[in-house]
Amino acid sequence: MHGSSSPPPLRPGLGRWSTLDLALLAVGVVLLVVAIAETRHVGLRAAVDGFSPAEFVYKRTHPEWFVNDFPSGVEQYAASAPMRMYEVAYELFGVDPTDLQTVYVTVEVLLAAGVTFVLGRTLLPQAPPGLLAIIVIFFLTGNLRQPDLGRWGQPLFYGLYYVLADTSRILGIVQVLRGRLFSAALLFGLSFAAHPIMALAGITF
């Protein structure tokens, strides 16, 4: 048949995608991979590495389980607000600390990505989406963030206090740059409640 009907339209290819679409896709894929990698074996990681929220909570709520235990230092977690979240959730609602740690680690990944994007937009307001995506990806997967003097390997998404303290102080700095001093003070206060030394470093900046 030799009719005059036109061929069906081709499906949109890569050429139809905007830079923003590709940037969002790249960041989304990295977010998914990082979140899965960091939460896949939270319980096993806690058992091997120690210094876990579960160890802190059980030492606080069941000290009789640890009468012959060698001190590890997790008792100091009581000075950090986000660590108390685990204790309250366990005592009031019976939430297993490891289950909550899995959720919190996922929140840490999302929080780190969002704060990095906000910082990038503030420092580089004319930056194309692709550049901002690269910054976010490097922040999530590399050593771009080095939040403590101990130089722990990065990225460190472990459901503790480092990410909350770091992202809060970064947002505090962003608010200072934007002239919003009241909200900056609140964010620095949140960072201080999580990790005082990291907050003071941010305030000094």
Side-chain angles (χ1 to χ4, degrees), residues 5-68:
S5 59
S6 59
L10 296 175
R11 297 178 60 185
L14 192 60
R16 297 286 188 90
W17 287 51
S18 69
T19 304
L20 177 60
D21 293 334
L22 294 174
L24 289 175
L25 177 62
V27 171
V29 170
V30 171
L31 276 173
L32 181 62
V33 171
V34 172
I36 292 175
E38 295 292 340
T39 60
R40 188 177 181 185
H41 300 296
V42 167
L44 179 60
R45 183 179 177 185
V48 173
D49 295 345
F51 302 103
S52 67
E55 183 181 357
F56 163 71
V57 169
Y58 294 144
K59 277 193 171 185
R60 296 270 297 179
T61 57
H62 303 287
E64 69 277 8
W65 295 355
F66 301 91
V67 291
N68 296 318

Side-chain angles (χ1 to χ4, degrees), residues 99-115:
D99 292 339
L100 183 55
Q101 184 182 5
T102 301
V103 175
Y104 187 33
V105 168
T106 304
V107 172
E108 285 183 327
V109 174
L110 297 174
L111 184 61
V115 168

Side-chain angles (χ1 to χ4, degrees), residues 33-182:
V33 171
V34 172
I36 292 175
E38 295 292 340
T39 60
R40 188 177 181 185
H41 300 296
V42 167
L44 179 60
R45 183 179 177 185
V48 173
D49 295 345
F51 302 103
S52 67
E55 183 181 357
F56 163 71
V57 169
Y58 294 144
K59 277 193 171 185
R60 296 270 297 179
T61 57
H62 303 287
E64 69 277 8
W65 295 355
F66 301 91
V67 291
N68 296 318
D69 185 50
F70 187 83
S72 65
V74 295
E75 295 83 2
Q76 302 302 318
Y77 288 177
S80 178
M83 302 310 297
R84 289 300 188 99
M85 167 191 67
Y86 289 101
E87 185 179 3
V88 170
Y90 178 73
E91 289 193 303
L92 295 184
F93 307 106
V95 178
D96 184 274
T98 303
D99 292 339
L100 183 55
Q101 184 182 5
T102 301
V103 175
Y104 187 33
V105 168
T106 304
V107 172
E108 285 183 327
V109 174
L110 297 174
L111 184 61
V115 168
T116 307
F117 176 79
V118 171
L119 178 63
R121 286 293 301 269
T122 301
L123 297 179
L124 304 168
Q126 304 301 323
L131 178 58
L132 295 177
I134 291 173
I135 294 173
V136 171
I137 291 171
F138 270 96
F139 190 91
L140 290 176
T141 62
N143 290 322
L144 188 61
R145 181 176 67 89
Q146 193 63 258
D148 68 294
L149 298 178
R151 297 187 63 78
W152 285 32
Q154 296 298 325
L156 181 64
F157 299 109
Y158 196 37
L160 298 180
Y161 33 73
Y162 291 108
V163 174
L164 179 61
D166 198 30
T167 52
S168 298
R169 68 178 179 176
I170 289 174
L171 280 180
I173 293 171
V174 167
Q175 294 300 80
V176 169
L177 294 175
R178 293 178 174 179
R180 302 171 182 173
L181 299 184
F182 180 75

